[in-house]
Amino acid sequence: MIIDCHGHYTSEPPAFIEFRKQQIAAFSDSSKAPAPPQISDDQIREKLEPAQLKFQRERGTDVTIFSPRASAMGHHVGDAKLSAAWTRICNDMIHRIVNLYPKNFIGVCQLPQTPGVPPENCIPELERCVKELGFVGCNLNPDPSGGYWKEPPLTDKWWYPFYEKMVELEVPAMVHVTGTCNPAFHTTGSHYINGDTTAFMQFLTSDLFKDFPALKFIIPHGGGAAPYHWGRYRGIAQDMKRPPLQELLLRNVYFDTCVYHQPGIDCMTKVIPSDNILFASEMVGAVKGIDPETGHYFDDTRRYIDASTILSAADKKKIFESNALKVYPRLAKQIQKQDIAASA
Ligand SMILES: [Zn+2]
């Protein structure tokens, strides 16, 4: 089975996007808050069929772990009440899609984070999504301020009550920032990669996983700069008298394959043990075009794994399937429940 662990709902019907615009516009006057968006199943299908579903079929991947559009989480927009209302609508939409296409998608939730508000505020929505909607993980934003990094690092006790709940529910978090409101950054080009790299470095300098040996994170987009600069990070850890990275991080931290060219995947798979890599494409996402050098979509990441001469067949099976089942403990049961079978 080929499990794509990183997909967002980026093919929303126009009414959904319009609702969010009106919701933000009405923030200062809640009497103007729009009614929930009225969207038919056909309107959802019409946009999803020629996008995520078409690519799944063409690329021969089986199921996508699916969450709301990350750049639209907008934790820095409005206040905690607005974040909660928007998050609930987004997660309910994912649940609806999973029900429409149970063989293609499994849900992961957005969290109602807000700058300055303790993360335990997100526990009720996490519990609702996992226990009632059958979701298997969450996207945790290390920077709800949208590019100004005002929160304590992910390793601070500020986050601990939320981690306790993650461990109790057996769900991992993908470390995932949202859009940036800092004009110095480009959302998917630099802010996302900065977020990934920053989270990795925070983990490296802390004893978080001594406190939470069962806590699991996926660092997306190939782990930001971490694999490419592995020597730097190993050296910094050594200078700081920290344990080797394998021992310090690799029981808890995983990387996805959202790296959009063969040399990048080759570097990653040489450096990071295959036990710590999860297949992902993030389609339809940050890069939508075709690479003129290969004639294939940049985000058709299955091709890079298939073509790898570094990975053995056993490594590829881990990356496509077994690692996801290990990192998302609720996934196997959900696959069974949704009656998902490998297409090959
Ligand atoms: Zn993403």
Side-chain angles (χ1 to χ4, degrees):
M1 181 174 287
I2 298 187
I3 302 165
D4 183 341
C5 80
H6 188 174
H8 301 292
Y9 184 38
T10 51
S11 43
E12 311 97 319
F16 194 73
I17 295 165
E18 188 50 39
F19 166 82
R20 175 60 169 164
K21 276 189 200 154
Q22 288 175 17
Q23 189 192 42
I24 293 169
F27 170 63
S28 46
D29 181 357
S30 59
S31 69
K32 291 188 182 136
Q38 298 300 314
I39 293 165
S40 68
D41 289 351
D42 280 345
Q43 284 172 314
I44 294 173
R45 289 193 191 100
E46 194 188 324
K47 298 282 283 181
L48 205 56
E49 286 281 353
Q52 280 88 351
L53 287 162
K54 171 177 171 270
F55 289 127
Q56 270 189 355
R57 281 191 288 268
E58 281 179 5
R59 298 174 188 182
T61 61
D62 293 298
V63 62
T64 303
I65 297 182
F66 207 51
S67 61
R69 184 192 285 264
S71 61
M73 294 189 295
H75 295 127
H76 50 280
V77 178
D79 59 8
K81 202 177 150 203
L82 187 81
S83 182
W86 171 235
T87 298
R88 195 178 172 99
I89 285 171
C90 289
N91 289 333
D92 284 348
M93 192 57 145
I94 296 299
H95 183 233
R96 209 172 145 192
I97 289 163
V98 170
N99 284 335
L100 280 175
Y101 296 99
K103 299 202 189 298
N104 301 87
F105 300 108
I106 286 178
V108 154
C109 65
Q110 172 176 329
L111 295 168
Q113 292 176 254
T114 304
V117 176
E120 57 254 50
N121 197 43
C122 301
I123 289 174
E125 181 63 3
L126 179 71
E127 283 204 295
R128 184 182 82 91
C129 289
V130 172
K131 290 183 176 171
E132 294 173 29
L133 310 185
F135 288 15
V136 299
C138 59
N139 290 335
L140 183 68
N141 184 354
D143 172 31
S145 70
Y148 289 93
W149 293 91
K150 291 178 181 169
E151 307 297 293
L154 286 175
T155 50
D156 191 274
K157 293 207 161 47
W158 170 258
W159 302 88
Y160 275 28
F162 186 75
Y163 296 157
E164 280 163 19
K165 187 52 70 174
M166 279 174 58
V167 170
E168 182 198 314
L169 294 173
E170 292 191 293
V171 290
M174 180 171 278
V175 177
H176 209 308
V177 292
T178 183
T180 176
C181 52
N182 182 336
F185 301 129
H186 178 275
T187 290
T188 53
S190 55
H191 184 48
Y192 277 25
I193 308 299
N194 295 346
D196 305 335
T197 310
T198 300
F200 178 79
M201 197 59 212
Q202 290 174 354
F203 296 148
L204 189 156
T205 50
S206 85
D207 288 320
L208 176 64
F209 301 119
K210 269 190 192 157
D211 291 345
F212 291 98
L215 190 62
K216 287 188 165 55
F217 290 104
I218 301 107
I219 304 187
H221 320 112
Y228 188 61
H229 282 290
W230 201 244
R232 170 178 290 253
Y233 295 121
R234 283 178 52 228
I236 289 174
Q238 182 175 293
D239 289 350
M240 293 174 76
K241 315 283 183 229
R242 307 284 299 156
L245 296 188
Q246 182 104 17
E247 194 184 309
L248 180 65
L249 299 177
L250 294 188
R251 281 188 288 262
N252 307 85
V253 177
Y254 299 82
F255 304 93
D256 82 8
T257 64
C258 293
V259 175
Y260 293 157
H261 65 152
Q262 189 74 46
I265 289 286
D266 289 348
C267 167
M268 180 187 194
T269 51
K270 270 186 197 167
V271 169
I272 305 295
S274 58
D275 285 328
N276 290 77
I277 302 173
L278 272 64
F279 173 70
S281 69
E282 205 181 22
M283 62 87 178
V284 176
V287 181
K288 294 180 184 65
I290 290 172
D291 183 347
E293 291 181 13
T294 65
H296 300 293
Y297 284 96
F298 282 101
D299 66 5
D300 186 357
T301 51
R302 180 181 169 183
R303 285 179 183 278
Y304 312 132
I305 307 296
D306 282 342
S308 169
T309 53
I310 294 155
L311 297 164
S312 68
D315 292 331
K316 291 179 188 181
K317 187 173 162 54
K318 283 184 196 170
I319 292 170
F320 281 135
E321 179 181 355
S322 346
N323 291 343
L325 294 169
K326 179 178 69 180
V327 175
Y328 295 82
R330 304 180 84 100
L331 183 58
K333 210 183 250 180
Q334 202 59 32
I335 285 174
Q336 224 175 18
K337 205 172 162 192
Q338 294 180 208
D339 199 18
I340 298 165
S343 56

